[in-house]
Amino acid sequence: MGFFTKDIKTMNDLFMHGLQDLYYAENQIAKSLPDMIEKATNPQLRAGFEKHLSETEGQIARLAQVFELLDAEAKGERCPAIDGILKEGRDLMGEVDDEDVMNVGLIAAAQAVEHYEITRYGALMAWASELGRGDCIPLLNANLAEEKATDKKLTALAERRVNPQGEKKSADEKKSAKRSASTARRKRKSPARPAAKSKRNGAKKARRRA
Ligand SMILES: [Fe+2]
Ligand SMILES: [Fe+2]
């Protein structure tokens, strides 16, 4: 079930459905990660996916603790959003032969998942606060912190490790930053302004003489 259905009438309903939705999503992600680990040929990417699989298992356990705090059964509600994101990732894994392209595609697919999770944890934390359920927030925040850290690592991998264009781009950017800095240093050292001033003074003197 999606977020916005006629069964959701109160903020409490919305919070509970959001939790069930994310519980379903985390379980689906845990099922998908082994395939992504298998397809990733870049060692850092593979290690990152392996780490995130064990984190995801911990996240499912934290969500179960949130349900416990709320005296509710830990259960998932089918979420079409995560189903679509994961399906797109599976389609990619079936279509790409080139290993490098596969690694880059896997990073993008994984980041789509992380961004989905980040928005949902953010919303759940805001709703928990609104409902006076501050006791749930540290557990949700621990999951959110792991999703954000994973997203950051994936970006770094895309830019520096896996994507040769990204690596070239950042090397080019560094070179151009270095060039700008040395031009700025040269300008600071250059006596351009005093020379211009003395030229103006010379012109003034010439006018006075005339
Ligand atoms: Fe997660
Ligand atoms: Fe995640």
Side-chain angles (χ1 to χ4, degrees):
M1 186 189 294
F3 263 9
F4 307 109
T5 72
K6 60 183 167 52
D7 297 325
I8 298 171
K9 292 187 174 69
T10 65
M11 278 306 295
N12 265 314
D13 295 340
L14 189 63
F15 183 53
M16 186 52 67
H17 278 286
L19 269 178
Q20 291 170 342
D21 187 283
L22 205 42
Y23 191 71
Y24 170 85
E26 291 290 11
N27 276 286
Q28 295 306 114
I29 294 162
K31 280 185 202 160
S32 297
L33 273 163
D35 288 340
M36 295 169 82
I37 291 166
E38 204 184 296
K39 289 280 177 180
T41 55
N42 176 277
Q44 285 97 344
L45 182 58
R46 181 183 276 251
F49 283 156
E50 278 166 353
K51 182 172 184 238
H52 202 50
L53 174 56
S54 81
E55 283 175 342
T56 300
E57 282 156 1
Q59 291 169 0
I60 292 167
R62 283 195 203 105
L63 285 178
Q65 287 179 61
V66 175
F67 281 111
E68 216 176 297
L69 287 172
L70 299 167
D71 278 326
E73 183 198 348
K75 65 169 185 154
E77 280 282 358
R78 189 153 191 211
C79 168
I82 196 66
D83 281 346
I85 292 170
L86 292 173
K87 183 185 179 302
E88 190 185 60
R90 278 195 303 276
D91 289 349
L92 169 99
M93 289 190 280
E95 280 167 12
V96 179
D97 287 330
D98 184 281
E99 283 186 0
D100 291 337
V101 176
M102 173 65 83
N103 286 325
V104 173
L106 282 172
I107 290 177
Q111 281 194 293
V113 173
E114 295 314 311
H115 289 198
Y116 160 88
E117 293 178 293
I118 288 166
T119 62
R120 292 294 159 101
Y121 278 114
L124 281 178
M125 283 168 63
W127 298 340
S129 163
E130 197 179 323
L131 292 166
R133 296 306 311 229
D135 52 342
C136 302
I137 292 179
L139 291 160
L140 297 170
N141 194 35
N143 286 8
L144 177 63
E146 285 175 354
E147 313 299 16
K148 282 185 175 172
T150 303
D151 181 47
K152 222 170 157 183
K153 280 182 212 155
L154 287 165
T155 299
L157 265 180
E159 286 177 354
R160 296 188 215 118
R161 304 273 178 202
V162 181
N163 182 350
Q165 289 307 316
E167 192 173 1
K168 188 178 176 300
K169 197 175 157 219
S170 69
D172 288 349
E173 277 165 2
K174 271 185 200 158
K175 268 187 207 162
S176 126
K178 222 173 162 181
R179 266 200 304 276
S180 310
S182 72
T183 310
R185 268 200 305 278
R186 270 202 308 278
K187 276 188 179 164
R188 275 200 301 276
K189 280 182 190 168
S190 148
R193 286 176 72 86
K197 204 177 168 188
S198 75
K199 204 175 170 186
R200 275 200 306 274
N201 288 345
K204 268 187 199 167
K205 277 178 195 166
R207 274 201 302 277
R208 274 202 298 273
R209 276 200 298 273

